[in-house]
């Protein structure tokens, strides 16, 4: 809106911050829109600087599973802040959050706190390379593991599994060790391991792919991935930055019964403050400095405010009714799908736990190639008309819709009413 405060802030921001945002997807380029500047969040709602209120299905890209400004989380942060914001020395809450994470996921015997999901995945990869003495990494096309160089690899020509840099600034040499395979394709993965198995340090995967929209693992897929890593002595890294404490309290690994060697976390474990973590078998984690010889560090790792926010969040989630939330989300998605089908558009809305993603596609979506076939123009139409009615969806067909424990039946109904009014 040209005369809105958001627009004015965006004009100012673009003169000072690349693209006017501090993370690209917030710019809303994929949906031909300008970003809204947010003044506050409360429960399932956001209010922008122009005083407009929205029902939020982005939830800061995942962290706000309890909703915005949960009183217990806010109080914990305020109490911690009154005692100082950073000590550069250990604090008791680092131990408490480590206990909470390791208790929730049996595969995580030890854990190191960092400040983002990117730090978590880059550190986990370094550890896997040290533990195995190997250099190659396997990742799936369409999965996102943060912006550290080794993960910014694009598919090379044809069916080549070798990568080319996914962005300028990443040397060819850095992604030369990154091998790619389509998600949900065990045959392709088998071929990669057959060709390079003895050189592969790790395979990193989002157990539920939530960075190309929401792509669920096919029957037996994760079991096959686990078996291949075991067969060739590669470490299996579950990137649970999104699914950790969202797919279930114990993460996707609990939901699907798969034991990875290392797990990475982010988002929810910080309760909205900057926290990432990586953890796994003690025999591996003991290699991390200063106990071991694999260097990893961070000035603000284990920050007392972030630990307090994460702890307050997990202490509530530990007894939250995830099944009830999933039932609500599935009922909402079923009605949303029926409304959109009634408008004659092709629509798939895969759902898992409190995540969902509308793909304007007639075919089920099982990998990135399927995602790329979905109708982005229809998504943009949907996004714009929903936002105009106060429904704040992820501004990209390649992101996942998120629901919180704060979303009410009225929020779902208002969202469905808005969808009924969309014109394609
Ligand atoms: P951060 O460095 O952004 O904290 O985490 C990187 C990351 C790692 N692994 C997974 C599975 C992730 O989803 C992410 C980050 N997720 C995106 C949104 N899907 C962050 C949003 C953004 O980049 O602004």
């Amino acid at each position: 809106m040209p005369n809105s405060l958001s627009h004015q802030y965006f004009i100012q921001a673009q003169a000072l911050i690349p693209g006017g945002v501090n993370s690209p997807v917030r710019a809303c380029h994929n949906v031909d829109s300008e970003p809204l500047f947010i003044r506050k969040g409360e429960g399932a709602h956001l209010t922008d600087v122009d005083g407009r209120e929205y029902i939020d299905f982005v939830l800061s890209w995942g962290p706000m599973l309890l909703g915005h400004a949960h009183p217990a989380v806010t109080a914990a942060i305020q109490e911690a802040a009154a005692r100082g914001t950073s000590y550069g020395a250990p604090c008791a809450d680092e131990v408490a959050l480590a206990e909470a994470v390791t208790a929730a996921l049996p595969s995580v015997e030890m854990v190191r706190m960092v400040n983002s999901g990117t730090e978590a995945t880059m550190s986990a990869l370094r550890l896997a390379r040290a533990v195995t003495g190997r250099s190659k990494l396997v990742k799936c096309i369409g999965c996102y593991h943060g912006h550290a160089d080794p993960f910014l690899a694009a598919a090379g020509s044809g069916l080549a599994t070798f990568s080319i840099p996914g962005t300028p600034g990443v040397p060819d040499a850095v992604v030369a060790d990154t091998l790619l395979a389509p998600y949900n394709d065990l045959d392709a993965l088998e071929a990669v391991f057959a060709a390079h198995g003895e050189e592969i340090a790790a395979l990193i995967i989002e157990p539920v792919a939530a960075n190309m929209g929401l792509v669920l693992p096919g029957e037996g897929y994760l079991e096959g991935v686990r078996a291949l890593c075991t067969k060739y002595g590669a470490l299996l890294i579950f990137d649970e930055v999104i699914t950790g404490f969202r797919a279930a309290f114990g993460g996707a690994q609990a939901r699907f019964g798969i034991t990875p060697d290392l797990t990475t976390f982010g988002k929810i474990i910080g309760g909205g403050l900057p926290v990432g973590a990586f953890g796994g078998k003690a025999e591996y984690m003991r290699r991390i400095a200063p106990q071991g010889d694999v260097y990893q560090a961070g000035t603000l790792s284990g920050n007392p405010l972030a630990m307090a926010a994460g702890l307050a969040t997990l202490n509530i989630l530990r007894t939250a009714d995830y099944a009830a939330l999933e039932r609500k989300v599935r009922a909402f998605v079923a009605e949303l799908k029926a409304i959109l089908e009634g408008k004659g558009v092709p629509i798939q809305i895969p759902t898992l736990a409190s995540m969902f993603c509308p793909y304007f596609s007639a075919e089920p979506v099982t990998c990135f190639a399927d995602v790329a076939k979905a109708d982005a123009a229809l998504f943009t139409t949907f996004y714009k008309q929903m936002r105009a009615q106060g429904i704040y969806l992820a501004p990209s067909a390649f992101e996942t819709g998120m629901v919180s424990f704060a979303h009410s039946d009225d929020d779902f109904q208002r969202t469905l009413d808005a969808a009924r009014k969309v014109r394609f």
Side-chain angles (χ1 to χ4, degrees), residues 355-395:
M355 299 181 285
F356 68 98
C357 179
Y359 291 104
F360 289 90
S361 166
E363 303 302 320
V365 174
T366 64
C367 64
F368 187 74
D370 295 342
V371 170
K373 290 179 211 153
D375 189 322
L378 284 176
F379 180 85
T380 296
T381 300
F382 182 58
Y383 172 84
K384 285 183 165 182
Q385 292 187 36
M386 292 294 273
R387 187 166 114 171
Q389 297 180 79
I391 310 301
Y392 192 76
L393 299 175

mmCIF file of all heavy atoms in Angstrom, residues 355-395:
data_model
loop_
_atom_site.group_PDB
_atom_site.id
_atom_site.type_symbol
_atom_site.label_atom_id
_atom_site.label_comp_id
_atom_site.label_asym_id
_atom_site.label_seq_id
_atom_site.Cartn_x
_atom_site.Cartn_y
_atom_site.Cartn_z
ATOM 1 N N MET A 355 1.877 -28.664 10.481
ATOM 2 C CA MET A 355 2.404 -28.079 9.238
ATOM 3 C C MET A 355 1.494 -28.454 8.076
ATOM 4 O O MET A 355 0.937 -29.550 8.031
ATOM 5 C CB MET A 355 3.829 -28.614 8.970
ATOM 6 C CG MET A 355 4.837 -28.282 10.047
ATOM 7 S SD MET A 355 6.489 -28.910 9.676
ATOM 8 C CE MET A 355 6.255 -30.651 10.022
ATOM 9 N N PHE A 356 1.368 -27.522 7.135
ATOM 10 C CA PHE A 356 0.583 -27.802 5.926
ATOM 11 C C PHE A 356 1.118 -26.929 4.799
ATOM 12 O O PHE A 356 1.756 -25.904 5.057
ATOM 13 C CB PHE A 356 -0.911 -27.505 6.163
ATOM 14 C CG PHE A 356 -1.210 -26.032 6.340
ATOM 15 C CD1 PHE A 356 -1.680 -25.262 5.274
ATOM 16 C CD2 PHE A 356 -1.025 -25.390 7.565
ATOM 17 C CE1 PHE A 356 -1.956 -23.914 5.423
ATOM 18 C CE2 PHE A 356 -1.290 -24.042 7.731
ATOM 19 C CZ PHE A 356 -1.755 -23.298 6.667
ATOM 20 N N CYS A 357 0.837 -27.331 3.565
ATOM 21 C CA CYS A 357 1.298 -26.506 2.430
ATOM 22 C C CYS A 357 0.360 -26.655 1.251
ATOM 23 O O CYS A 357 0.175 -27.769 0.746
ATOM 24 C CB CYS A 357 2.707 -26.909 2.016
ATOM 25 S SG CYS A 357 3.291 -25.929 0.612
ATOM 26 N N PRO A 358 -0.284 -25.565 0.819
ATOM 27 C CA PRO A 358 -1.135 -25.624 -0.372
ATOM 28 C C PRO A 358 -0.286 -25.595 -1.644
ATOM 29 O O PRO A 358 0.430 -24.632 -1.900
ATOM 30 C CB PRO A 358 -1.989 -24.370 -0.271
ATOM 31 C CG PRO A 358 -1.240 -23.433 0.618
ATOM 32 C CD PRO A 358 -0.277 -24.231 1.432
ATOM 33 N N TYR A 359 -0.338 -26.668 -2.428
ATOM 34 C CA TYR A 359 0.298 -26.692 -3.751
ATOM 35 C C TYR A 359 -0.821 -26.639 -4.772
ATOM 36 O O TYR A 359 -1.756 -27.452 -4.697
ATOM 37 C CB TYR A 359 1.043 -28.005 -3.985
ATOM 38 C CG TYR A 359 2.278 -28.238 -3.153
ATOM 39 C CD1 TYR A 359 2.232 -29.120 -2.078
ATOM 40 C CD2 TYR A 359 3.480 -27.623 -3.473
ATOM 41 C CE1 TYR A 359 3.365 -29.364 -1.314
ATOM 42 C CE2 TYR A 359 4.613 -27.881 -2.720
ATOM 43 C CZ TYR A 359 4.551 -28.747 -1.645
ATOM 44 O OH TYR A 359 5.671 -29.014 -0.894
ATOM 45 N N PHE A 360 -0.739 -25.716 -5.726
ATOM 46 C CA PHE A 360 -1.753 -25.671 -6.772
ATOM 47 C C PHE A 360 -1.302 -26.603 -7.899
ATOM 48 O O PHE A 360 -0.711 -26.200 -8.885
ATOM 49 C CB PHE A 360 -1.970 -24.226 -7.226
ATOM 50 C CG PHE A 360 -2.677 -23.426 -6.166
ATOM 51 C CD1 PHE A 360 -1.961 -22.744 -5.195
ATOM 52 C CD2 PHE A 360 -4.069 -23.411 -6.106
ATOM 53 C CE1 PHE A 360 -2.605 -22.048 -4.180
ATOM 54 C CE2 PHE A 360 -4.738 -22.706 -5.089
ATOM 55 C CZ PHE A 360 -3.992 -22.025 -4.115
ATOM 56 N N SER A 361 -1.566 -27.868 -7.649
ATOM 57 C CA SER A 361 -1.096 -28.934 -8.536
ATOM 58 C C SER A 361 -2.127 -30.053 -8.512
ATOM 59 O O SER A 361 -2.709 -30.350 -7.468
ATOM 60 C CB SER A 361 0.242 -29.468 -8.017
ATOM 61 O OG SER A 361 0.552 -30.692 -8.657
ATOM 62 N N ALA A 362 -2.293 -30.684 -9.681
ATOM 63 C CA ALA A 362 -3.258 -31.793 -9.743
ATOM 64 C C ALA A 362 -2.621 -33.075 -9.217
ATOM 65 O O ALA A 362 -3.315 -33.998 -8.791
ATOM 66 C CB ALA A 362 -3.712 -31.983 -11.190
ATOM 67 N N GLU A 363 -1.286 -33.112 -9.229
ATOM 68 C CA GLU A 363 -0.570 -34.337 -8.851
ATOM 69 C C GLU A 363 -0.018 -34.239 -7.429
ATOM 70 O O GLU A 363 0.411 -33.159 -7.011
ATOM 71 C CB GLU A 363 0.612 -34.573 -9.828
ATOM 72 C CG GLU A 363 0.192 -34.671 -11.283
ATOM 73 C CD GLU A 363 -0.827 -35.791 -11.496
ATOM 74 O OE1 GLU A 363 -0.677 -36.871 -10.882
ATOM 75 O OE2 GLU A 363 -1.812 -35.536 -12.224
ATOM 76 N N PRO A 364 0.058 -35.365 -6.723
ATOM 77 C CA PRO A 364 0.722 -35.352 -5.409
ATOM 78 C C PRO A 364 2.172 -34.893 -5.576
ATOM 79 O O PRO A 364 2.767 -35.082 -6.639
ATOM 80 C CB PRO A 364 0.656 -36.815 -4.961
ATOM 81 C CG PRO A 364 -0.435 -37.426 -5.769
ATOM 82 C CD PRO A 364 -0.476 -36.684 -7.079
ATOM 83 N N VAL A 365 2.713 -34.279 -4.532
ATOM 84 C CA VAL A 365 4.064 -33.722 -4.581
ATOM 85 C C VAL A 365 4.989 -34.610 -3.763
ATOM 86 O O VAL A 365 4.794 -34.774 -2.563
ATOM 87 C CB VAL A 365 4.057 -32.282 -4.034
ATOM 88 C CG1 VAL A 365 5.464 -31.738 -3.942
ATOM 89 C CG2 VAL A 365 3.194 -31.399 -4.926
ATOM 90 N N THR A 366 5.995 -35.201 -4.430
ATOM 91 C CA THR A 366 6.874 -36.137 -3.690
ATOM 92 C C THR A 366 8.338 -35.707 -3.720
ATOM 93 O O THR A 366 9.175 -36.290 -3.050
ATOM 94 C CB THR A 366 6.793 -37.544 -4.313
ATOM 95 O OG1 THR A 366 7.316 -37.450 -5.657
ATOM 96 C CG2 THR A 366 5.373 -38.061 -4.348
ATOM 97 N N CYS A 367 8.674 -34.702 -4.529
ATOM 98 C CA CYS A 367 10.080 -34.265 -4.630
ATOM 99 C C CYS A 367 10.095 -32.864 -5.249
ATOM 100 O O CYS A 367 9.046 -32.332 -5.637
ATOM 101 C CB CYS A 367 10.861 -35.224 -5.516
ATOM 102 S SG CYS A 367 10.265 -35.233 -7.216
ATOM 103 N N PHE A 368 11.293 -32.300 -5.352
ATOM 104 C CA PHE A 368 11.381 -30.914 -5.824
ATOM 105 C C PHE A 368 10.873 -30.771 -7.259
ATOM 106 O O PHE A 368 10.258 -29.769 -7.621
ATOM 107 C CB PHE A 368 12.825 -30.402 -5.718
ATOM 108 C CG PHE A 368 12.941 -28.941 -6.034
ATOM 109 C CD1 PHE A 368 12.496 -27.994 -5.130
ATOM 110 C CD2 PHE A 368 13.434 -28.513 -7.262
ATOM 111 C CE1 PHE A 368 12.567 -26.627 -5.421
ATOM 112 C CE2 PHE A 368 13.503 -27.161 -7.575
ATOM 113 C CZ PHE A 368 13.071 -26.219 -6.660
ATOM 114 N N ALA A 369 11.116 -31.783 -8.088
ATOM 115 C CA ALA A 369 10.655 -31.705 -9.492
ATOM 116 C C ALA A 369 9.130 -31.559 -9.535
ATOM 117 O O ALA A 369 8.584 -30.797 -10.344
ATOM 118 C CB ALA A 369 11.101 -32.944 -10.243
ATOM 119 N N ASP A 370 8.437 -32.240 -8.628
ATOM 120 C CA ASP A 370 6.968 -32.102 -8.562
ATOM 121 C C ASP A 370 6.593 -30.696 -8.085
ATOM 122 O O ASP A 370 5.682 -30.063 -8.599
ATOM 123 C CB ASP A 370 6.367 -33.110 -7.568
ATOM 124 C CG ASP A 370 6.551 -34.562 -8.007
ATOM 125 O OD1 ASP A 370 6.822 -34.779 -9.206
ATOM 126 O OD2 ASP A 370 6.441 -35.455 -7.138
ATOM 127 N N VAL A 371 7.323 -30.201 -7.090
ATOM 128 C CA VAL A 371 7.030 -28.870 -6.534
ATOM 129 C C VAL A 371 7.140 -27.818 -7.637
ATOM 130 O O VAL A 371 6.286 -26.945 -7.766
ATOM 131 C CB VAL A 371 8.015 -28.523 -5.388
ATOM 132 C CG1 VAL A 371 7.880 -27.060 -4.972
ATOM 133 C CG2 VAL A 371 7.820 -29.444 -4.198
ATOM 134 N N ALA A 372 8.178 -27.981 -8.461
ATOM 135 C CA ALA A 372 8.429 -26.983 -9.518
ATOM 136 C C ALA A 372 7.296 -26.946 -10.535
ATOM 137 O O ALA A 372 7.115 -25.959 -11.245
ATOM 138 C CB ALA A 372 9.755 -27.296 -10.196
ATOM 139 N N LYS A 373 6.502 -28.025 -10.614
ATOM 140 C CA LYS A 373 5.400 -28.060 -11.592
ATOM 141 C C LYS A 373 4.132 -27.385 -11.056
ATOM 142 O O LYS A 373 3.194 -27.122 -11.793
ATOM 143 C CB LYS A 373 5.062 -29.520 -11.942
ATOM 144 C CG LYS A 373 6.126 -30.243 -12.753
ATOM 145 C CD LYS A 373 5.671 -31.681 -13.018
ATOM 146 C CE LYS A 373 6.867 -32.634 -13.122
ATOM 147 N NZ LYS A 373 6.505 -34.017 -12.752
ATOM 148 N N ALA A 374 4.100 -27.122 -9.747
ATOM 149 C CA ALA A 374 2.886 -26.511 -9.179
ATOM 150 C C ALA A 374 2.719 -25.103 -9.752
ATOM 151 O O ALA A 374 3.681 -24.463 -10.159
ATOM 152 C CB ALA A 374 2.973 -26.470 -7.655
ATOM 153 N N ASP A 375 1.487 -24.609 -9.760
ATOM 154 C CA ASP A 375 1.175 -23.331 -10.397
ATOM 155 C C ASP A 375 1.471 -22.174 -9.440
ATOM 156 O O ASP A 375 0.673 -21.877 -8.530
ATOM 157 C CB ASP A 375 -0.299 -23.322 -10.819
ATOM 158 C CG ASP A 375 -0.642 -22.112 -11.670
ATOM 159 O OD1 ASP A 375 -0.096 -21.028 -11.369
ATOM 160 O OD2 ASP A 375 -1.428 -22.250 -12.622
ATOM 161 N N ALA A 376 2.624 -21.524 -9.628
ATOM 162 C CA ALA A 376 3.041 -20.440 -8.721
ATOM 163 C C ALA A 376 2.131 -19.223 -8.857
ATOM 164 O O ALA A 376 1.897 -18.506 -7.877
ATOM 165 C CB ALA A 376 4.490 -20.059 -9.008
ATOM 166 N N ALA A 377 1.569 -19.016 -10.059
ATOM 167 C CA ALA A 377 0.702 -17.842 -10.254
ATOM 168 C C ALA A 377 -0.578 -17.976 -9.426
ATOM 169 O O ALA A 377 -1.036 -17.023 -8.794
ATOM 170 C CB ALA A 377 0.364 -17.693 -11.730
ATOM 171 N N LEU A 378 -1.119 -19.192 -9.387
ATOM 172 C CA LEU A 378 -2.316 -19.411 -8.567
ATOM 173 C C LEU A 378 -1.993 -19.198 -7.092
ATOM 174 O O LEU A 378 -2.778 -18.632 -6.330
ATOM 175 C CB LEU A 378 -2.863 -20.829 -8.789
ATOM 176 C CG LEU A 378 -3.623 -21.078 -10.097
ATOM 177 C CD1 LEU A 378 -4.015 -22.565 -10.205
ATOM 178 C CD2 LEU A 378 -4.859 -20.190 -10.203
ATOM 179 N N PHE A 379 -0.757 -19.647 -6.701
ATOM 180 C CA PHE A 379 -0.380 -19.453 -5.289
ATOM 181 C C PHE A 379 -0.320 -17.963 -4.970
ATOM 182 O O PHE A 379 -0.807 -17.511 -3.926
ATOM 183 C CB PHE A 379 0.967 -20.108 -4.970
ATOM 184 C CG PHE A 379 1.371 -19.924 -3.527
ATOM 185 C CD1 PHE A 379 0.913 -20.801 -2.553
ATOM 186 C CD2 PHE A 379 2.152 -18.844 -3.137
ATOM 187 C CE1 PHE A 379 1.242 -20.605 -1.214
ATOM 188 C CE2 PHE A 379 2.477 -18.646 -1.796
ATOM 189 C CZ PHE A 379 2.032 -19.539 -0.836
ATOM 190 N N THR A 380 0.265 -17.191 -5.873
ATOM 191 C CA THR A 380 0.390 -15.744 -5.654
ATOM 192 C C THR A 380 -0.997 -15.092 -5.535
ATOM 193 O O THR A 380 -1.233 -14.265 -4.638
ATOM 194 C CB THR A 380 1.192 -15.095 -6.789
ATOM 195 O OG1 THR A 380 2.524 -15.616 -6.754
ATOM 196 C CG2 THR A 380 1.246 -13.583 -6.659
ATOM 197 N N THR A 381 -1.910 -15.508 -6.384
ATOM 198 C CA THR A 381 -3.285 -14.988 -6.299
ATOM 199 C C THR A 381 -3.889 -15.302 -4.939
ATOM 200 O O THR A 381 -4.463 -14.448 -4.266
ATOM 201 C CB THR A 381 -4.151 -15.612 -7.414
ATOM 202 O OG1 THR A 381 -3.585 -15.273 -8.677
ATOM 203 C CG2 THR A 381 -5.592 -15.135 -7.335
ATOM 204 N N PHE A 382 -3.700 -16.544 -4.535
ATOM 205 C CA PHE A 382 -4.254 -16.989 -3.247
ATOM 206 C C PHE A 382 -3.638 -16.188 -2.106
ATOM 207 O O PHE A 382 -4.328 -15.648 -1.246
ATOM 208 C CB PHE A 382 -3.972 -18.479 -3.088
ATOM 209 C CG PHE A 382 -4.509 -19.105 -1.836
ATOM 210 C CD1 PHE A 382 -5.878 -19.062 -1.540
ATOM 211 C CD2 PHE A 382 -3.665 -19.749 -0.934
ATOM 212 C CE1 PHE A 382 -6.394 -19.650 -0.381
ATOM 213 C CE2 PHE A 382 -4.172 -20.344 0.222
ATOM 214 C CZ PHE A 382 -5.539 -20.281 0.498
ATOM 215 N N TYR A 383 -2.285 -16.077 -2.136
ATOM 216 C CA TYR A 383 -1.563 -15.364 -1.063
ATOM 217 C C TYR A 383 -2.069 -13.924 -0.939
ATOM 218 O O TYR A 383 -2.429 -13.453 0.150
ATOM 219 C CB TYR A 383 -0.055 -15.361 -1.353
ATOM 220 C CG TYR A 383 0.716 -14.474 -0.399
ATOM 221 C CD1 TYR A 383 1.125 -14.939 0.845
ATOM 222 C CD2 TYR A 383 1.001 -13.141 -0.736
ATOM 223 C CE1 TYR A 383 1.787 -14.111 1.733
ATOM 224 C CE2 TYR A 383 1.671 -12.302 0.151
ATOM 225 C CZ TYR A 383 2.059 -12.792 1.379
ATOM 226 O OH TYR A 383 2.722 -11.962 2.252
ATOM 227 N N LYS A 384 -2.131 -13.244 -2.072
ATOM 228 C CA LYS A 384 -2.482 -11.816 -2.050
ATOM 229 C C LYS A 384 -3.908 -11.588 -1.516
ATOM 230 O O LYS A 384 -4.129 -10.724 -0.653
ATOM 231 C CB LYS A 384 -2.363 -11.224 -3.456
ATOM 232 C CG LYS A 384 -0.925 -10.987 -3.920
ATOM 233 C CD LYS A 384 -0.934 -10.337 -5.305
ATOM 234 C CE LYS A 384 0.406 -9.741 -5.667
ATOM 235 N NZ LYS A 384 0.375 -9.070 -7.000
ATOM 236 N N GLN A 385 -4.837 -12.412 -1.988
ATOM 237 C CA GLN A 385 -6.233 -12.188 -1.568
ATOM 238 C C GLN A 385 -6.453 -12.602 -0.115
ATOM 239 O O GLN A 385 -7.242 -12.011 0.598
ATOM 240 C CB GLN A 385 -7.181 -12.920 -2.513
ATOM 241 C CG GLN A 385 -7.194 -12.313 -3.919
ATOM 242 C CD GLN A 385 -8.265 -12.927 -4.805
ATOM 243 O OE1 GLN A 385 -9.362 -13.277 -4.364
ATOM 244 N NE2 GLN A 385 -7.936 -13.063 -6.083
ATOM 245 N N MET A 386 -5.705 -13.613 0.338
ATOM 246 C CA MET A 386 -5.812 -14.000 1.753
ATOM 247 C C MET A 386 -5.204 -12.916 2.638
ATOM 248 O O MET A 386 -5.800 -12.523 3.637
ATOM 249 C CB MET A 386 -5.113 -15.344 1.989
ATOM 250 C CG MET A 386 -5.811 -16.525 1.332
ATOM 251 S SD MET A 386 -7.436 -16.872 2.057
ATOM 252 C CE MET A 386 -6.946 -17.965 3.417
ATOM 253 N N ARG A 387 -4.048 -12.369 2.207
ATOM 254 C CA ARG A 387 -3.411 -11.330 3.032
ATOM 255 C C ARG A 387 -4.290 -10.088 3.086
ATOM 256 O O ARG A 387 -4.412 -9.455 4.144
ATOM 257 C CB ARG A 387 -2.032 -10.980 2.467
ATOM 258 C CG ARG A 387 -1.256 -10.041 3.355
ATOM 259 C CD ARG A 387 0.205 -9.962 2.964
ATOM 260 N NE ARG A 387 0.537 -8.630 2.467
ATOM 261 C CZ ARG A 387 1.799 -8.232 2.220
ATOM 262 N NH1 ARG A 387 2.818 -9.060 2.403
ATOM 263 N NH2 ARG A 387 2.049 -7.002 1.761
ATOM 264 N N ALA A 388 -4.950 -9.793 1.998
ATOM 265 C CA ALA A 388 -5.842 -8.617 1.986
ATOM 266 C C ALA A 388 -7.008 -8.786 2.961
ATOM 267 O O ALA A 388 -7.599 -7.805 3.417
ATOM 268 C CB ALA A 388 -6.376 -8.394 0.575
ATOM 269 N N GLN A 389 -7.289 -10.049 3.294
ATOM 270 C CA GLN A 389 -8.379 -10.329 4.256
ATOM 271 C C GLN A 389 -7.872 -10.624 5.663
ATOM 272 O O GLN A 389 -8.596 -11.128 6.500
ATOM 273 C CB GLN A 389 -9.213 -11.518 3.753
ATOM 274 C CG GLN A 389 -9.928 -11.270 2.425
ATOM 275 C CD GLN A 389 -10.723 -12.477 1.997
ATOM 276 O OE1 GLN A 389 -11.831 -12.719 2.498
ATOM 277 N NE2 GLN A 389 -10.131 -13.268 1.092
ATOM 278 N N GLY A 390 -6.552 -10.355 5.880
ATOM 279 C CA GLY A 390 -6.014 -10.511 7.231
ATOM 280 C C GLY A 390 -5.500 -11.890 7.567
ATOM 281 O O GLY A 390 -5.411 -12.261 8.747
ATOM 282 N N ILE A 391 -5.165 -12.659 6.516
ATOM 283 C CA ILE A 391 -4.597 -13.993 6.746
ATOM 284 C C ILE A 391 -3.157 -13.991 6.258
ATOM 285 O O ILE A 391 -2.905 -13.733 5.059
ATOM 286 C CB ILE A 391 -5.391 -15.090 6.005
ATOM 287 C CG1 ILE A 391 -6.904 -14.968 6.281
ATOM 288 C CG2 ILE A 391 -4.857 -16.475 6.370
ATOM 289 C CD1 ILE A 391 -7.284 -15.073 7.730
ATOM 290 N N TYR A 392 -2.221 -14.226 7.158
ATOM 291 C CA TYR A 392 -0.787 -14.068 6.882
ATOM 292 C C TYR A 392 -0.183 -15.432 6.601
ATOM 293 O O TYR A 392 0.162 -16.170 7.517
ATOM 294 C CB TYR A 392 -0.135 -13.423 8.103
ATOM 295 C CG TYR A 392 1.277 -12.913 7.927
ATOM 296 C CD1 TYR A 392 1.556 -11.735 7.241
ATOM 297 C CD2 TYR A 392 2.350 -13.614 8.483
ATOM 298 C CE1 TYR A 392 2.846 -11.259 7.109
ATOM 299 C CE2 TYR A 392 3.654 -13.145 8.359
ATOM 300 C CZ TYR A 392 3.900 -11.972 7.670
ATOM 301 O OH TYR A 392 5.177 -11.502 7.551
ATOM 302 N N LEU A 393 -0.095 -15.762 5.300
ATOM 303 C CA LEU A 393 0.478 -17.054 4.880
ATOM 304 C C LEU A 393 1.947 -16.867 4.553
ATOM 305 O O LEU A 393 2.408 -15.736 4.326
ATOM 306 C CB LEU A 393 -0.261 -17.559 3.642
ATOM 307 C CG LEU A 393 -1.764 -17.821 3.786
ATOM 308 C CD1 LEU A 393 -2.355 -18.187 2.415
ATOM 309 C CD2 LEU A 393 -2.053 -18.902 4.800
ATOM 310 N N ALA A 394 2.692 -17.960 4.501
ATOM 311 C CA ALA A 394 4.099 -17.897 4.104
ATOM 312 C C ALA A 394 4.166 -17.315 2.694
ATOM 313 O O ALA A 394 3.464 -17.783 1.796
ATOM 314 C CB ALA A 394 4.726 -19.280 4.146
ATOM 315 N N PRO A 395 4.996 -16.273 2.485
ATOM 316 C CA PRO A 395 5.026 -15.577 1.186
ATOM 317 C C PRO A 395 5.845 -16.329 0.145
ATOM 318 O O PRO A 395 6.676 -15.746 -0.547
ATOM 319 C CB PRO A 395 5.666 -14.239 1.534
ATOM 320 C CG PRO A 395 6.559 -14.544 2.683
ATOM 321 C CD PRO A 395 5.881 -15.649 3.461
#
